[in-house]
Amino acid sequence: MFAYIVRRVIATIPVVAIVALFIFSLLYFAPGDPAAIIAGDQATPADVERIRASLGLDRPFVVRFVEWSWQVMQGNLGVSIFTNLPVSKMIAQRIEPSLSLMLLTLTFAISVAVPLGVLAAWKHGTWIDRVVMMFAVFFFSVPVFVVGYLLAYTFALQLDWFPVQGYTPFSISDPLPWLRNLVLPAAALGGAFVALIARITRATMLEVLSQDYIRTARAKGVSQRPILFMHALKNAAVPIVTIIGIGFAGLIGGAVVTESVFAIPGVGRLVVDAILRRDYPIIQGVVLMLSFTYVLVNLCVDLLYTLFDPRIRY
Amino acid sequence: MSSTLLDPAVAAELPDVLPARKQRGRVAMFAYRHPSIFAGGLLVSLVVASALFAPWLGTADPTALAPAKRLRSPSEIYWFGTDMLGRDIYSRVLYGTRVSLQVGVMVALFASVIGMFIGLTSGFIRVLDTVVMRVMDGLMSIPGILLAIALMALTRGSVGNVIIAITITEIPRVARLVRGVVLSLREQPYVEAAVAAGTRVPKIIWKHILPNTLAPITVQATFICASAMITEATLSFIGAGTPPTIPSWGNIMAEGRALWQVKPFIVLFPAIFLSITVLSINLLGDGLRDALDPRMAKKI
């Protein structure tokens, strides 16, 4: 198992390198010449050239990429054009709301979707199954921000159960305001994720439930619930965990939009504001950080396989 | 006893034990057999028709400003109301259908063709396979919307650039799908037979591999079309998509954002159109998958 873990960790290195190369190229090819901006309107071409050399912008692509990678590994993501603050610091200030939103959504989505999928598989072919699947298709088709507005309009504006927008930082003494602010965003963001997980859970469960050992368990008189949750779900775990990992990309992308809808001051808002100002270092830094998060999540998923399915030994 | 049975004169007429077989028309038969394709296809054709015939469906100029009539609620004159610049939302939504469909169809087309090319190359030329697939893995490791945002940040907002940006995010999925199909087909006896018979590689690809990739690609293309429309709306919604001068669904919603608490209909109508369109395309895709690839249908 140790060899598997090592191999799996090593296998992520080229992926991370390609992600980094791609995102570096984005800034490299970004319009606008930083040297010309720093030099100002009065500068002669020679001045611009000198500033470019002093910034190291005249060196070849590969050299600059290696240097930039080295800086990134030390946690230096450059400086925002607009605020002149280090990008890593700006991200760090905004990380808590985003992390709260994603963790809450993840918890909510998994705890709703897996039972739904199991239920649909158990009641396969009945109206329950059909309702669950229709619900899944529906949430696949409605964009996150539309769900967000519908929820906010109904439960915040009309019924006044939750605050419409905003965020309260988490505190252990009183986590209720934090939770109240995040319920609607998490529900909106979780919709598509629930649909995805429920669909895969149902499909995998159907496959597992048709296997011989399930019939054996039934024959020896094991009751329905242990069969579903002990025998079947445990063996259906690997595809479910895989789809949770893959679906995490949608969760990250959706969080960016959800934060805009509910005015949550997270990383997503940071990048949306940066787009409007064309603040390339921030866009680059956030995309890089979130992509690495995604790679890391999927690495963890792969390592979890060994926990769920001891047969996996590569 | 047996003689009476054999005698045609005595044989009693068989009673109608079975109910008469329902005679269905061709359309009804198709709808009965493939309900998702039928419902999805019908809705998609409605949406396409409303995009094509937008000028004749009681619309006004979607960009005509009328500040005196701004923020009117839905009424007989303004079916979906007017926005903060007095533009007729019904007209904007109908014309927006054109933008969304254009983005969806173009992205599906380009991503399928390019992805198919990459997948075929990668599946057949083993030297390239590792490199190409690592690059695809890398691209897929950047969450789709973020990649599109980053690409859009590099260029001016235009429909063409939105199509290119979303296509780039969708290519790896098609490439992986096609490569998977190619790898499994290469092991098939009939392909091995073709190789043994000395068939050239281009002909094997053209005659034996390509036709078998078309079904899964068609299914994938419908899903890509649906997801591209959502991505376009999302990009425009956060201000990184089509330029605000173009009435796309995402733009209408972006304009309604500031006022959604008081004038929710500005966001609501394009949202309904977008959701119904995407839903019908997804239905169509689900139905196509069930019809074209029963094995895949069982799995998911």
Side-chain angles (χ1 to χ4, degrees):
Chain A
M1 193 168 94
F2 184 69
Y4 167 72
I5 293 174
V6 171
R7 214 168 306 158
R8 195 57 197 77
V9 171
I10 290 174
T12 50
I13 293 174
V15 174
V16 167
I18 287 162
V19 170
L21 183 65
F22 198 84
I23 292 169
F24 172 75
S25 319
L26 287 177
L27 192 63
Y28 186 84
F29 294 116
D33 183 355
I37 294 167
I38 293 167
D41 295 337
Q42 308 294 320
T44 61
D47 288 337
V48 175
E49 213 45 57
R50 206 176 52 245
I51 290 168
R52 186 171 295 139
S54 73
L55 288 171
L57 295 175
D58 56 342
R59 287 171 304 162
F61 179 85
V62 179
V63 177
R64 282 183 59 194
F65 174 61
V66 171
E67 188 135 294
W68 174 81
S69 307
W70 181 242
Q71 293 293 324
V72 169
M73 276 187 253
Q74 290 168 323
N76 183 2
L77 292 169
V79 174
S80 155
I81 296 173
F82 198 75
T83 61
N84 239 343
L85 288 167
V87 173
S88 46
K89 202 174 163 188
M90 292 181 75
I91 292 178
Q93 286 170 350
R94 306 286 200 104
I95 203 85
E96 194 219 290
S98 296
L99 205 64
S100 305
L101 175 62
M102 280 192 213
L103 287 180
L104 202 69
T105 308
L106 204 64
T107 320
F108 154 75
I110 295 172
S111 52
V112 170
V114 173
L116 267 185
V118 172
L119 185 72
W122 176 30
K123 301 282 180 191
H124 174 54
T126 65
W127 64 270
I128 299 179
D129 181 21
R130 243 165 272 147
V131 166
V132 171
M133 284 302 104
M134 267 162 59
F135 159 88
V137 175
F138 175 79
F139 275 94
F140 263 139
S141 311
V142 185
V144 172
F145 53 95
V146 174
V147 183
Y149 279 129
L150 284 178
L151 288 177
Y153 190 78
T154 319
F155 295 104
L157 278 186
Q158 298 297 319
L159 297 171
D160 205 17
W161 290 356
F162 300 101
V164 183
Q165 288 178 322
Y167 178 75
T168 318
F170 181 77
S171 73
I172 301 172
S173 54
D174 186 18
L176 205 66
W178 170 82
L179 195 66
R180 272 171 56 87
N181 262 314
L182 283 176
V183 168
L184 291 180
L189 180 56
F193 207 42
V194 168
L196 183 72
I197 303 171
R199 243 175 117 126
I200 294 291
T201 306
R202 172 183 173 273
T204 326
M205 284 293 285
L206 277 181
E207 215 175 299
V208 173
L209 285 175
S210 68
Q211 305 234 325
D212 288 343
Y213 66 86
I214 297 293
R215 197 175 44 196
T216 309
R218 287 229 167 92
K220 71 175 186 184
V222 180
S223 55
Q224 194 62 249
R225 203 176 300 173
I227 285 187
L228 285 175
F229 290 97
M230 303 290 287
H231 295 77
L233 189 59
K234 209 175 163 192
N235 280 283
V238 168
I240 297 172
V241 175
T242 309
I243 206 71
I244 292 173
I246 293 171
F248 204 80
L251 199 64
I252 291 174
V256 172
V257 185
T258 312
E259 285 176 11
S260 290
V261 171
F262 289 97
I264 298 168
V267 180
R269 282 285 298 192
L270 186 67
V271 79
V272 170
D273 292 343
I275 294 166
L276 302 178
R277 295 170 184 162
R278 303 260 146 174
D279 199 336
Y280 295 109
I282 290 187
I283 300 175
Q284 189 188 39
V286 172
V287 174
L288 189 75
M289 188 209 59
L290 292 178
S291 303
F292 282 175
T293 312
Y294 181 49
V295 174
L296 204 69
V297 165
N298 278 291
L299 176 66
C300 294
V301 163
D302 277 11
L303 298 182
L304 271 178
Y305 284 169
T306 52
L307 257 179
F308 284 110
D309 194 344
R311 284 168 302 185
I312 292 179
R313 294 264 188 282
Y314 292 113
Chain B
M1 178 103 181
S2 63
S3 66
T4 50
L5 262 180
L6 284 172
D7 188 355
V10 192
E13 212 155 278
L14 283 169
D16 278 339
V17 243
L18 295 168
R21 205 162 157 266
K22 255 192 230 164
Q23 287 294 321
R24 287 196 180 91
R26 263 191 199 179
V27 178
M29 199 61 207
F30 183 78
Y32 179 75
R33 280 216 188 130
H34 305 290
S36 321
I37 300 186
F38 184 74
L42 200 69
L43 281 167
V44 170
S45 358
L46 270 178
V47 173
V48 171
S50 66
L52 284 178
F53 301 118
W56 297 281
L57 289 171
T59 55
D61 180 358
T63 52
L65 307 180
K69 297 164 186 162
R70 65 180 192 272
L71 295 175
R72 295 278 168 90
S73 294
S75 65
E76 270 174 40
I77 314 165
Y78 304 107
W79 291 353
F80 294 175
T82 59
D83 66 8
M84 59 286 258
L85 297 171
R87 294 172 297 194
D88 179 36
I89 294 175
Y90 170 69
S91 309
R92 291 177 70 72
V93 168
L94 271 204
Y95 278 95
T97 315
R98 295 183 165 187
V99 183
S100 289
L101 282 180
Q102 200 185 339
V103 171
V105 171
M106 286 305 195
V107 168
L109 198 70
F110 289 149
S112 305
V113 171
I114 301 171
M116 186 157 76
F117 180 75
I118 295 175
L120 284 174
T121 320
S122 177
F124 258 91
I125 307 171
R126 307 302 295 164
V127 193
L128 281 178
D129 188 41
T130 324
V131 179
V132 172
M133 279 303 124
R134 282 300 142 270
V135 172
M136 292 295 131
D137 283 350
L139 268 183
M140 280 176 97
S141 300
I142 307 172
I145 286 180
L146 284 179
L147 181 56
I149 286 175
L151 289 168
M152 285 311 294
L154 286 184
T155 52
R156 275 180 321 110
S158 75
V159 178
N161 284 337
V162 169
I163 292 174
I164 296 172
I166 305 176
T167 302
I168 292 175
T169 65
E170 297 284 358
I171 285 174
R173 244 172 288 198
V174 185
R176 293 203 120 206
L177 177 80
V178 174
R179 174 181 172 271
V181 175
V182 169
L183 288 184
S184 71
L185 285 177
R186 281 182 57 159
E187 306 295 318
Q188 294 288 315
Y190 72 90
V191 175
E192 281 176 358
V195 174
T199 318
R200 286 163 190 274
V201 171
K203 197 181 174 189
I204 291 181
I205 293 180
W206 187 250
K207 283 265 173 189
H208 301 293
I209 306 282
L210 203 61
N212 283 301
T213 59
L214 288 183
I217 284 188
T218 311
V219 173
Q220 187 77 1
T222 52
F223 292 134
I224 288 179
C225 179
S227 103
M229 290 171 84
I230 290 189
T231 312
E232 186 275 325
T234 309
L235 284 178
S236 300
F237 180 75
I238 59 176
T242 48
T245 47
I246 295 177
S248 81
W249 291 337
N251 278 336
I252 305 170
M253 289 188 268
E255 285 153 12
R257 225 170 103 180
L259 291 167
W260 77 270
Q261 297 191 25
V262 274
K263 304 281 176 191
F265 59 86
I266 305 180
V267 176
L268 185 70
F269 287 112
I272 292 176
F273 267 69
L274 175 64
S275 305
I276 289 179
T277 309
V278 174
L279 185 73
S280 51
I281 296 175
N282 276 336
L283 272 179
L284 189 66
D286 276 348
L288 282 177
R289 186 185 51 205
D290 294 353
L292 293 175
D293 192 351
R295 259 174 312 158
M296 212 157 105
K298 233 185 218 170
K299 261 186 166 171
I300 293 178

